Amino acid sequence: MQIDKLKMLTAASLSVLLLAACIPETTDDEDDASTGGDTDTNTEENFCRTETVTTTIVPEVTLTDVDDTEPNDTSAQAQVISINSTISGYLSGNAVGVPGTDFDDYYILSVVEGQVIDIQFEFNQGTTNHIYLKNGDDFVVDDTSGDNVKKINFTVPAGMTELTIFLTADYGSGDYTLTVKTPAEPVEVTNTQTLECYGDMTGHVSDAISGARLANTTINLRAGLDVKVGDIAETGSTNAQGEYVFSNVEAGDYTVEVVLAGYSTAYKNVSIEGLSTLSQYLAIAPALPEGQMRLVLTWGASPRDLDSHLLVPNGASTEHLYYANKSVDGASLDLDDASAYGPETITITNVKTGTYTYYIYAYSGGSNFRFSNSDVEVSLYDDTGLIAQMTPPEGVGYQWNVLTYNGTLTVVNTIE
């Protein structure tokens, strides 16, 4: 590494480190691996339960309302209508002692050979009415039944270009409705719904100061991001080797909580995908005494090496705490990681007057490194627990300026 890799450190003790990443066990060629949560398809232990439903629907036909306002009592006066129309009219036939005044109505519409037309004629109950279909002067269909609702399904024969609909009231008077439409063909609609979708999360928990695996550590999952209180969706613990497994967890976003007596509680946002296994390294650090602060840096599988840099105030000057100078007055680099994922942990044992500057240098990332693609996160702790968690902004560069601290925390959050 080089001294020109400067970065700012917030004077805060980062006591718990959650290191999130999909972590292969091999260490070769990891600089080219993607960072964050890589996933492996596992259809045997993880599954999405889906349901496919096929429904037959009849599309709705939009009808145009038409009033019988024209004199249409003869074939020559037939009112022109269009397909997919609903016509409202009135007929008056003879009744006992009352002669009819409007026996017949005629309508005409353009048609084409092979066209299928649904026709419905609805008149008052208790009246006698008829409907006829005509091709010119020729009657082609009639319904003189006693039903007050008459339905005809008609296919236009060869040579026919106009269809005349003739309505007549033999007895009784009243309003009627004539509907002329193209029948809608039933359509089968297939809809596949994901009812439940599950994935796995595995990994281990380590001590952010020593790097040792931690057994009997409780891990809780809460639904949603940055959800640190409330209902716990899943809970588990590490085995003797510090490893944990969550199987068949409903896919979604979760806040991971890591709890162990004597350690500061840590949190990490994760996303579990269905049919996949997320490998997630987690780290926590011992709780701090009053007056101390801690910074913990974690990242993904690439780059192999990110470095923490802290400029520590020392009277009128500053001291540079980093991999080549791991101890200065009042602060130490407790753990330096050069093989991906982290953690890198800095503890400030004596918070001095002045400004602390903390930054991260991409030692093996290059000048065009994109921090935001590498699951990089910095957590800041003091004796009360977690103070802040910071993730880098978009942009490319070799250095992420994280924060300054002079009694007040200032999140700088810039890339250069």
Side-chain angles (χ1 to χ4, degrees):
M1 303 193 196
Q2 306 170 0
I3 295 180
D4 61 345
K5 314 182 271 174
L6 282 184
K7 300 217 169 176
M8 309 176 181
L9 167 79
T10 56
S13 71
L14 189 158
S15 44
V16 181
L17 163 66
L18 279 81
L19 170 56
C22 228
I23 306 172
E25 291 300 324
T26 60
T27 57
D28 294 334
D29 300 323
E30 286 182 339
D31 285 340
D32 293 331
S34 63
T35 62
D38 296 339
T39 57
D40 297 319
T41 301
N42 181 348
T43 56
E44 294 181 358
E45 297 181 1
N46 307 300
F47 60 94
C48 289
R49 185 166 69 85
T50 61
E51 179 180 68
T52 300
V53 178
T54 300
T55 306
T56 300
I57 64 172
V58 179
E60 183 178 350
V61 175
T62 302
L63 301 176
T64 301
D65 293 329
V66 178
D67 292 328
D68 169 27
T69 58
E70 301 179 14
N72 57 348
D73 297 337
T74 68
S75 179
Q77 296 175 315
Q79 181 175 338
V80 177
I81 60 172
S82 300
I83 195 71
N84 296 329
S85 297
T86 297
I87 300 94
S88 300
Y90 178 84
L91 288 175
S92 173
N94 291 324
V96 177
V98 180
T101 58
D102 187 1
F103 291 91
D104 305 323
D105 278 349
Y106 287 83
Y107 299 94
I108 191 169
L109 69 153
S110 297
V111 295
V112 294
E113 179 181 341
Q115 184 177 5
V116 179
I117 303 172
D118 278 343
I119 301 170
Q120 178 174 298
F121 175 41
E122 184 174 356
F123 203 29
N124 291 346
Q125 186 74 35
T127 60
T128 302
N129 53 81
H130 308 303
I131 179 172
Y132 303 91
L133 304 186
K134 299 178 65 178
N135 181 10
D137 294 330
D138 298 328
F139 288 87
V140 291
V141 175
D142 67 77
D143 186 343
T144 59
S145 67
D147 299 330
N148 71 304
V149 178
K150 296 176 172 62
K151 297 181 180 180
I152 299 173
N153 179 261
F154 179 69
T155 301
V156 178
M160 187 176 186
T161 59
E162 290 184 329
L163 172 65
T164 299
I165 303 173
F166 169 34
L167 310 178
T168 182
D170 284 351
Y171 181 85
S173 301
D175 296 323
Y176 67 82
T177 301
L178 174 67
T179 301
V180 182
K181 67 178 182 179
T182 301
E185 294 294 330
V187 177
E188 286 192 348
V189 178
T190 300
N191 182 26
T192 301
Q193 294 180 322
T194 300
L195 303 181
E196 294 173 303
C197 199
Y198 298 92
D200 291 351
M201 187 174 84
T202 64
H204 65 250
V205 178
S206 61
D207 186 305
I209 302 297
S210 68
R213 302 282 183 92
L214 296 175
N216 303 315
T217 304
T218 299
I219 302 172
N220 300 318
L221 304 184
R222 290 186 176 90
L225 302 178
D226 299 315
V227 181
K228 296 174 182 174
V229 296
D231 294 340
I232 294 173
E234 303 280 347
T235 189
S237 60
T238 57
N239 60 17
Q241 291 72 45
E243 299 167 340
Y244 70 89
V245 175
F246 286 96
S247 298
N248 293 328
V249 178
E250 187 171 357
D253 295 329
Y254 291 89
T255 301
V256 181
E257 180 182 56
V258 187
V259 181
L260 182 63
Y263 287 75
S264 297
T265 298
Y267 299 91
K268 179 67 182 180
N269 289 332
V270 300
S271 294
I272 297 176
E273 297 182 0
L275 303 178
S276 301
T277 297
L278 173 67
S279 293
Q280 191 78 42
Y281 285 177
L282 305 170
I284 56 176
L288 289 165
E290 185 176 357
Q292 294 190 12
M293 305 182 80
R294 179 168 289 137
L295 287 156
V296 177
L297 164 67
T298 63
W299 65 97
S302 177
R304 187 177 299 277
D305 191 7
L306 293 181
D307 289 323
S308 295
H309 291 255
L310 180 65
L311 302 182
V312 181
N314 186 14
S317 63
T318 60
E319 294 185 274
H320 186 186
L321 179 68
Y322 69 116
Y323 70 93
N325 187 30
K326 296 182 179 180
S327 180
V328 299
D329 185 27
S332 63
L333 175 62
D334 305 307
L335 188 62
D336 178 29
D337 181 74
S339 58
Y341 308 112
E344 285 211 359
T345 304
I346 288 177
T347 300
I348 302 171
T349 55
N350 179 24
V351 180
K352 299 179 179 180
T353 301
T355 298
Y356 291 81
T357 298
Y358 179 67
Y359 62 92
I360 309 300
Y361 186 86
Y363 181 70
S364 61
S367 60
N368 291 321
F369 177 64
R370 189 175 293 274
F371 284 85
S372 58
N373 287 351
S374 297
D375 198 29
V376 184
E377 184 173 72
V378 169
S379 299
L380 173 64
Y381 298 84
D382 65 7
D383 59 286
T384 65
L386 180 66
I387 298 174
Q389 286 181 297
M390 290 141 284
T391 56
E394 292 293 329
V396 295
Y398 61 86
Q399 181 169 310
W400 173 29
N401 301 308
V402 184
L403 57 85
T404 62
Y405 183 81
N406 59 0
T408 299
L409 171 65
T410 300
V411 178
V412 179
N413 208 27
T414 60
I415 302 293
E416 66 176 71

